[in-house]
Amino acid sequence: MSGEFVDMPRRTMVQARQIYSFIAAGELGWAGPWKVLVEKAMTLLLERGLQDGSLFVHQFDETGNVIDPRLDLYDHAFGLFALAHAGRALGRPDYFAIANKVMDRMDTEWRRPEGGFWEGQITPCPPYRQNPHMHMFEAAYALHEATGGERWQTLMRDLLSLFQSKFQNARTGAVTEYFDINWDALEDSTGSIVEPGHCMEWAWLFETAFSDLSGVPVATKLTNFARGYGICPDRGVAINEVSLDGSIIDGNARLWPQTERLKAAVARYRRLKTEEEAEEVVAAYRGLVPYFQTPCPGTWYDRWMADGSWMQQDAPASSFYHITCGLKELMSCSSEL
């Protein structure tokens, strides 16, 4: 791991995440030209990456030319997410107008009668996935915070209802990953897969998104399952996959679940102010730190293997968003800990 740039296609989802990350860095005190960088990135994203003014493409090459115009729900979720944060940070209400135009198209063409959204042209369905819907919730939350628009709060409520009725396992409180066309659990073992990181990512959203705390009971069940079955006691980290019965499916540990564990812990500490939650914040942070102890400062490991070794691979740029989200949440209450 040398810190050298690796040339590969640029996904719209990752470009949108990087836009958010630079905004967050600027708002946390980075003195670099973050507003200039964000405006340039948004201009490229919208001029080249938005078909018909309302559909995000999938990939660009190194010069910014579109090389994959296919549609994908993740790209649209993060495109809306970038529009929300850039519109607020740069004082650009025109970005909110674009977000509404994108959502108009999605409401017309992407809504599924069974609930949720069409996933696009890249990933075959079935199985249908909950995770891109989490990022649609995240985008709606950001747009509601930025604009106060009722449509975004309505979308949040719709997705909370879908989560409670279909995504969340009634017996355990965990969120499973894969479903049939009716959002019922798959009958094979795939239907029992739980990612603790996604449990904690949803938990953070439900802890923070509703001022009336209506998401807290759902979040508590998610957090309890993830902490009960998804933390490796030896390494002190959130692992990749378990089954609904708590048995380990994948004991390796990617970087991003550690940031989601941290976010969920901070949100619970902010609400409960207990010593137990303060200790969990510290434990989550300690679990994250080893990922940054690489031969090249400023890079990160992505996979801590179950045998204690690190997978040697390039540091994925997409992780920067997760890192930024986690540290921003921690810094928001660091003076209280």
Side-chain angles (χ1 to χ4, degrees), residues 83-271:
L83 286 164
H85 286 284
R88 175 188 52 77
L90 300 179
R92 293 287 300 269
D94 55 313
Y95 289 169
F96 304 142
I98 294 171
N100 275 295
K101 190 173 181 180
V102 171
M103 200 65 230
D104 288 342
R105 188 78 174 262
M106 296 186 74
D107 279 339
T108 302
E109 300 177 16
W110 290 60
R111 291 274 191 172
R112 294 182 57 226
E114 301 85 2
F117 295 90
W118 176 56
E119 291 195 33
Q121 300 166 325
I122 295 173
T123 303
C125 295
Y128 294 85
R129 299 171 296 173
Q130 61 78 19
N131 190 50
H133 293 77
M134 176 177 65
H135 292 298
M136 282 297 297
F137 184 101
E138 181 183 30
Y141 175 34
L143 281 159
H144 183 256
E145 288 286 289
T147 69
E150 184 177 341
R151 81 178 302 176
W152 306 115
Q153 188 170 52
T154 298
L155 177 55
M156 290 162 59
R157 291 288 179 191
D158 289 347
L159 290 171
L160 172 61
S161 177
L162 180 62
F163 185 93
Q164 290 178 291
S165 63
K166 294 294 186 179
F167 296 166
Q168 189 171 38
N169 179 265
R171 178 177 59 84
T172 65
V175 57
T176 53
E177 296 291 321
Y178 305 107
F179 302 85
D180 68 13
I181 193 171
N182 296 311
W183 291 119
D184 292 325
L186 298 177
E187 294 183 0
D188 63 15
S189 60
T190 307
S192 295
I193 293 174
V194 177
E195 296 190 20
H198 284 159
C199 288
M200 290 184 279
E201 198 166 2
W202 274 110
W204 174 79
L205 284 166
F206 291 148
E207 285 275 0
T208 59
F210 298 110
S211 58
D212 62 0
L213 303 182
S214 57
V216 167
V218 185
T220 299
K221 293 178 182 178
L222 289 162
T223 301
N224 288 345
F225 182 91
R227 290 181 182 177
Y229 299 105
I231 307 298
C232 171
D234 298 324
R235 289 167 293 163
V237 292
I239 60 175
N240 290 349
E241 291 182 356
V242 300
S243 182
L244 280 172
D245 64 8
S247 59
I248 296 173
I249 297 174
D250 181 352
N252 301 324
R254 294 195 63 189
L255 183 154
W256 70 263
Q258 317 320 317
T259 67
E260 303 312 319
R261 179 189 179 191
L262 179 60
K263 287 162 58 182
V266 171
R268 283 177 61 85
Y269 174 77
R270 187 182 293 115
R271 177 170 58 85

Side-chain angles (χ1 to χ4, degrees), residues 28-51:
L28 288 171
W30 181 54
W34 63 272
K35 287 188 176 181
V36 174
L37 295 171
V38 167
E39 193 136 27
K40 286 182 177 179
M42 285 297 297
T43 297
L44 179 65
L45 181 65
L46 298 177
E47 288 184 353
R48 300 192 187 184
L50 197 61
Q51 297 176 346

Side-chain angles (χ1 to χ4, degrees), residues 10-13 45 48-51 54-60 65-72 75-76 122:
R10 278 74 161 169
R11 291 178 290 166
T12 291
M13 177 183 79
L45 181 65
R48 300 192 187 184
L50 197 61
Q51 297 176 346
S54 58
L55 293 171
F56 285 101
V57 303
H58 182 54
Q59 283 186 341
F60 305 86
N65 292 317
V66 176
I67 57 173
D68 188 345
R70 290 180 298 170
L71 306 179
D72 183 71
D75 293 325
H76 285 71
I122 295 173

